[in-house]
Amino acid sequence: MSTFRRRVIPDATIARLPIYQRCLMELEEDGRKKASSEQLAELAGVNGAKVRKDLSYFGTYGTRGVGYDVPHLLHEIRRELGMTHDWPCVIIGAGNLGSALAKFGGFVDRGFSVVAIMDVDQSKVGHQVGSLTVRHEDELPEVVKEFDISIGIITTTAAAAQDVADQLVEAGVRSILNFAPATLDVPYGVLVRDVDVAIELQILAFHEERRALSEAEIV
Amino acid sequence: MSTFRRRVIPDATIARLPIYQRCLMELEEDGRKKASSEQLAELAGVNGAKVRKDLSYFGTYGTRGVGYDVPHLLHEIRRELGMTHDWPCVIIGAGNLGSALAKFGGFVDRGFSVVAIMDVDQSKVGHQVGSLTVRHEDELPEVVKEFDISIGIITTTAAAAQDVADQLVEAGVRSILNFAPATLDVPYGVLVRDVDVAIELQILAFHEERRALSEAEIV
DNA sequence: GCAACTTTGTGAACAAGTGAACAAGCTCGG
DNA sequence: CCGAGCTTGTTCACTTGTTCACAAAGTTGC
């Protein structure tokens, strides 16, 4: 066993890395070779100190007096994020959202490919979604093995979500992206990230409501 | 002007309110009349102290020795979140995602209704998406006025997103839900929340990658 | 009416995240 | 080779968020 201890990266930093990556991709497309932390910060919508601190967790990729080398930094961030290889994903739930995600090509160029879409509903099995054919959920273990899948995307109803999560975990998947409005219970070591559009809308509504209230108060 | 100063609610608390609301709805459906902070915490996937502290920002809705009254607490949270009335939303970008969101009824029972879907692409204008007809983006100001819209949902490409955001702001919308992978620049007072599926996938990938690395290290 | 028990509401300690400030280090012009 | 001018990397004070721990306040059984 190695005595080397990898530096722990704050969650907040990890969440910003993909944003930096995106900004660096834009800079690279524009043919920019160098970028300062302030320029990167401007693009990412954060402040310069934050960018410098975030990047410093991974080593010293900048040059004082100059800035960061765009292609080099991009490569390093890609490496940290595991974007040097492809991540096969499975979508479970072939409804509106699941189908839209499967058809959407936008993740492929970011290193993610949807290799299978599945559903419990027999009437949906066999249907074509983009270039994929909907398979039955029971085949999950084989599909995970076949494509060496490490990421599962849940787009079922809230009621079915926990069941699907259990099946994913059982099949060996340890990373889950959950679109269902449900709190999933998973064993230690399995990571779930929730995407809940209703929650986002409610947060917006909360602030709108408060705005309306304080305006009423002033008048 | 009122001298009354509304207590400031932490962002982290606001983000959890919709989750509590969801859990309380489940409890109510099950016919439960009372719930303790620990039970609520269990459902919401947080700890009891957090639930109590979060709820205490809004007043004392619990009864010591008993817990919280489910219907009453639900009502109070709904009121805080502005869920006592409906929020009309407009979707801009009638692609896969925009159409899927428009057709998806899941937000309606949470107080949000998509009242219009728009696009710049003339070839999409006039097409039917669920019960809505795609209108041209140029009509945005009239649509916002017509339906008294306060929330705009951007489902365009990253390239078009900033332009659409400007138009929304211009039309008087101050709450934006952005699905485009772009950092939007908006004036003070306008609230943007980003939903970026690729970022979520990349965060999952980061952890998968680290797991793979540490496992390789141990061997 | 009192003791035993339960659960809230909150003060205080702790942990995580942010941002200003600045020394260290690099470049470049002369 | 040196000094002026930038920009990074990092420290430190501060803000925000979490968790513990417990008094206060209620309920229940006798």
Side-chain angles (χ1 to χ4, degrees):
Chain A
M1 167 150 178
S2 160
T3 55
F4 173 74
R5 194 140 291 287
R6 181 165 286 107
R7 189 138 38 143
V8 57
I9 315 292
D11 285 344
T13 294
I14 297 167
R16 280 188 296 267
L17 285 184
I19 300 175
Y20 298 149
Q21 188 213 7
R22 195 175 69 198
C23 297
L24 287 164
M25 283 168 78
E26 286 168 21
L27 286 168
E28 194 174 52
E29 259 173 54
D30 292 353
R32 295 284 306 278
K33 292 290 170 222
K34 297 280 176 190
S36 72
S37 58
E38 290 298 338
Q39 292 166 338
L40 207 44
E42 167 82 27
L43 286 172
V46 297
N47 86 13
K50 211 183 263 179
V51 172
R52 295 198 293 278
K53 182 167 270 188
D54 284 342
L55 297 179
S56 74
Y57 286 110
F58 301 96
T60 65
Y61 296 134
T63 311
R64 295 173 190 217
V66 179
Y68 297 90
D69 182 88
V70 172
H72 180 230
L73 182 56
L74 184 52
H75 177 261
E76 292 300 331
I77 290 183
R78 280 221 175 96
R79 194 172 51 77
E80 284 295 338
L81 286 171
M83 294 296 110
T84 47
H85 55 90
D86 196 66
W87 295 92
C89 306
V90 59
I91 291 178
I92 304 180
N96 273 331
L97 180 61
S99 303
L101 285 174
K103 277 186 272 187
F104 182 54
F107 314 130
V108 178
D109 32 298
R110 300 245 229 138
F112 301 93
S113 53
V114 177
V115 294
I117 181 163
M118 321 187 76
D119 207 298
V120 262
D121 186 353
Q122 276 292 359
S123 74
K124 279 182 185 151
V125 173
H127 278 216
Q128 206 69 14
V129 174
S131 59
L132 299 170
T133 307
V134 178
R135 295 174 68 166
H136 194 275
E137 203 175 302
D138 291 346
E139 295 180 58
L140 187 62
E142 297 94 78
V143 168
V144 169
K145 226 178 216 167
E146 184 185 342
F147 296 101
D148 193 24
I149 288 171
S150 44
I151 298 177
I153 303 175
I154 301 180
T155 54
T156 63
T157 59
Q162 181 63 58
D163 221 52
V164 170
D166 293 344
Q167 289 174 47
L168 280 167
V169 170
E170 181 65 30
V173 174
R174 286 179 299 181
S175 295
I176 296 176
L177 186 58
N178 174 40
F179 283 87
T183 305
L184 299 181
D185 191 15
V186 294
Y188 179 81
V190 176
L191 184 60
V192 174
R193 290 199 62 93
D194 294 299
V195 176
D196 191 324
V197 178
I199 287 180
E200 299 301 323
L201 287 171
Q202 286 183 280
I203 293 170
L204 290 173
F206 175 88
H207 291 283
E208 280 282 337
E209 189 75 2
R210 289 241 144 181
R211 260 201 289 253
L213 287 175
S214 24
E215 275 160 23
E217 218 166 75
I218 290 163
V219 178
Chain B
M1 167 149 178
S2 161
T3 55
F4 174 72
R5 195 141 290 288
R6 181 164 286 107
R7 187 137 41 144
V8 57
I9 316 291
D11 286 344
T13 294
I14 297 167
R16 280 188 294 266
L17 285 184
I19 300 175
Y20 299 148
Q21 187 212 7
R22 196 176 68 200
C23 296
L24 286 164
M25 282 167 78
E26 287 167 21
L27 285 169
E28 195 173 51
E29 259 172 55
D30 291 354
R32 295 284 307 277
K33 292 288 172 225
K34 298 277 177 193
S36 71
S37 58
E38 291 297 339
Q39 291 165 341
L40 206 45
E42 166 83 26
L43 286 172
V46 297
N47 84 16
K50 209 182 264 181
V51 171
R52 294 198 295 278
K53 182 153 268 189
D54 283 342
L55 297 180
S56 75
Y57 286 111
F58 301 96
T60 65
Y61 297 134
T63 311
R64 296 174 192 221
V66 180
Y68 297 90
D69 182 89
V70 172
H72 179 229
L73 182 56
L74 184 53
H75 178 261
E76 293 300 331
I77 289 183
R78 280 219 174 99
R79 195 172 49 76
E80 285 295 338
L81 286 171
M83 295 297 109
T84 47
H85 54 90
D86 196 66
W87 295 92
C89 307
V90 58
I91 291 179
I92 304 180
N96 273 330
L97 181 60
S99 304
L101 285 173
K103 278 185 273 187
F104 182 56
F107 314 130
V108 178
D109 32 296
R110 300 247 228 138
F112 301 92
S113 53
V114 177
V115 295
I117 181 163
M118 320 187 76
D119 206 299
V120 263
D121 186 353
Q122 277 292 1
S123 74
K124 280 181 185 152
V125 173
H127 278 215
Q128 206 69 14
V129 174
S131 60
L132 299 170
T133 307
V134 178
R135 296 173 68 167
H136 195 274
E137 204 176 301
D138 290 346
E139 297 180 57
L140 188 61
E142 297 94 79
V143 167
V144 168
K145 225 179 216 168
E146 184 185 341
F147 296 101
D148 193 23
I149 288 171
S150 45
I151 298 178
I153 303 176
I154 301 180
T155 54
T156 62
T157 59
Q162 181 62 59
D163 221 52
V164 170
D166 293 344
Q167 288 175 48
L168 281 167
V169 170
E170 181 65 29
V173 174
R174 286 179 299 181
S175 295
I176 296 176
L177 186 58
N178 173 40
F179 283 88
T183 306
L184 299 182
D185 191 16
V186 294
Y188 179 81
V190 176
L191 184 60
V192 174
R193 291 200 60 93
D194 294 300
V195 177
D196 190 326
V197 179
I199 286 181
E200 299 302 322
L201 287 170
Q202 286 183 282
I203 292 170
L204 291 173
F206 175 88
H207 290 284
E208 279 282 337
E209 189 74 2
R210 290 240 145 184
R211 261 201 288 252
L213 287 174
S214 25
E215 275 161 22
E217 218 165 76
I218 290 161
V219 179

